[in-house]
Amino acid sequence: MPLVELVRIPNGAEAELLRGRIESAGVHAVCFDAGMNIAESVGLMIPVRIMVLDEDLEEARALLAEFEAG
């Protein structure tokens, strides 16, 4: 069960909000590189990657679309 990248987000707080939303729907998600993103304006160079299981990617994409729609 490999992890695959769902999305890259320059803002660590927004990435954690999205990760929480995905997990609340029952899809396991992990933020990669969150610790590298804490300095001001570093998010453009080192965005936070939200990773999900390969088998959950389509469901996670649908949740991402809902999150982006507001």
Side-chain angles (χ1 to χ4, degrees):
M1 291 188 271
L3 289 174
V4 294
E5 183 178 302
L6 172 64
V7 66
R8 292 177 183 219
I9 299 179
N11 182 313
E14 185 177 335
E16 285 295 335
L17 285 172
L18 176 56
R19 184 198 60 76
R21 169 66 183 98
I22 292 169
E23 289 221 332
S24 72
V27 176
H28 182 68
V30 179
C31 288
F32 280 10
D33 303 323
M36 302 298 293
N37 187 273
I38 58 173
E40 190 170 325
S41 75
V42 172
L44 298 175
M45 295 184 296
I46 308 173
V48 177
R49 296 177 292 153
I50 298 181
M51 310 294 285
V52 297
L53 292 174
D54 185 40
E55 62 206 38
D56 294 333
L57 184 59
E58 291 306 314
E59 185 176 357
R61 283 182 177 157
L63 293 166
L64 174 60
E66 287 177 18
F67 185 81
E68 289 176 338

